């Protein structure tokens, strides 16, 4: 019964990650780029670039979420997939920066432009993810060293 529970949990979290990493950002940027009635111009290439990179890394994040959440608790496999997922999450955040989503320039016809920069916020999140990577490396080492104790505790349950 544990394997079925883990698989269902993996699919559930994959769905959650798809919604938060692909669906919500795509809806947000689609609504942002399709504002009608305002004298704002966009470059079509910006929207395509942002959509491509967010979808590509969103699929990677969601895929690794399945493997992480379908693994048994305190297993080496879960620790390794958690570490890989944190690294992929860093790449997903960085994709906001290099796709152009962190620097959005609004061109207001006949008035000028203004720019919205989220680069500093992304760097703060990257710092938090760096600390999380250190924690996940520790988890993998702990799960490897205490492998026998973890197995004994599972057998008792």
């Amino acid at each position: 019964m544990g394997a079925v529970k883990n698989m269902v949990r993996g699919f559930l979290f994959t769905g959650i990650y798809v919604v938060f990493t692909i669906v919500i950002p795509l809806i947000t940027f689609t609504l942002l780029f399709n504002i009608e009635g305002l004298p704002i111009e966009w470059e079509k290439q910006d929207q395509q670039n942002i959509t491509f990179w967010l979808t590509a890394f969103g699929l990677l994040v969601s895929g690794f979420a399945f493997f992480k959440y379908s693994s048994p608790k305190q297993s080496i496999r879960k620790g390794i997939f958690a570490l890989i997922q944190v690294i992929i999450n860093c790449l997903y955040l960085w994709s906001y920066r290099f796709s152009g989503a962190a620097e959005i320039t609004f061109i207001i016809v006949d008035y000028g432009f203004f720019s919205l920069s989220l680069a500093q916020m992304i760097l703060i999140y990257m710092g938090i993810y760096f600390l999380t990577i250190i924690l996940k490396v520790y988890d993998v080492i702990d799960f490897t060293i205490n492998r026998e104790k973890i197995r004994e505790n599972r057998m008792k349950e």
Side-chain angles (χ1 to χ4, degrees), residues 17-140:
Y17 272 85
V18 165
V19 168
F20 281 105
T21 61
I22 299 173
V23 175
I24 292 175
L26 285 181
I27 289 173
T28 302
F29 283 109
T30 301
L31 291 175
L32 188 66
F33 282 112
N34 292 326
I35 296 175
E36 303 252 343
L38 294 177
I40 297 176
E41 294 179 358
W42 300 100
E43 291 186 29
K44 193 66 173 172
Q45 184 63 30
D46 288 345
Q47 182 181 9
Q48 291 173 346
N49 199 19
I50 291 169
T51 302
F52 172 76
W53 286 109
L54 293 183
T55 304
F57 281 111
L59 287 172
L60 276 173
V61 168
S62 301
F64 276 97
F66 172 79
F67 292 114
K68 175 188 171 189
Y69 288 103
S70 66
S71 300
K73 290 181 182 178
Q74 293 184 326
S75 67
I76 297 171
R77 180 177 64 189
K78 183 172 188 132
I80 289 172
F81 279 121
L83 177 62
I84 292 171
Q85 187 182 17
V86 170
I87 293 168
I88 300 270
N89 282 343
C90 289
L91 292 174
Y92 176 77
L93 272 179
W94 199 251
S95 74
Y96 274 91
R97 186 165 169 114
F98 69 74
S99 70
E103 291 279 338
I104 299 175
T105 301
F106 298 90
I107 301 170
I108 303 172
V109 179
D110 297 333
Y111 288 107
F113 70 93
F114 72 94
S115 182
L116 177 64
S117 177
L118 303 173
Q120 293 299 316
M121 185 176 75
I122 289 174
L123 289 176
I124 289 172
Y125 279 115
M126 294 295 283
I128 293 169
Y129 272 120
F130 175 73
L131 296 174
T132 307
I133 288 171
I134 293 171
L135 180 66
K136 297 301 177 185
V137 167
Y138 173 77
D139 283 344
V140 170

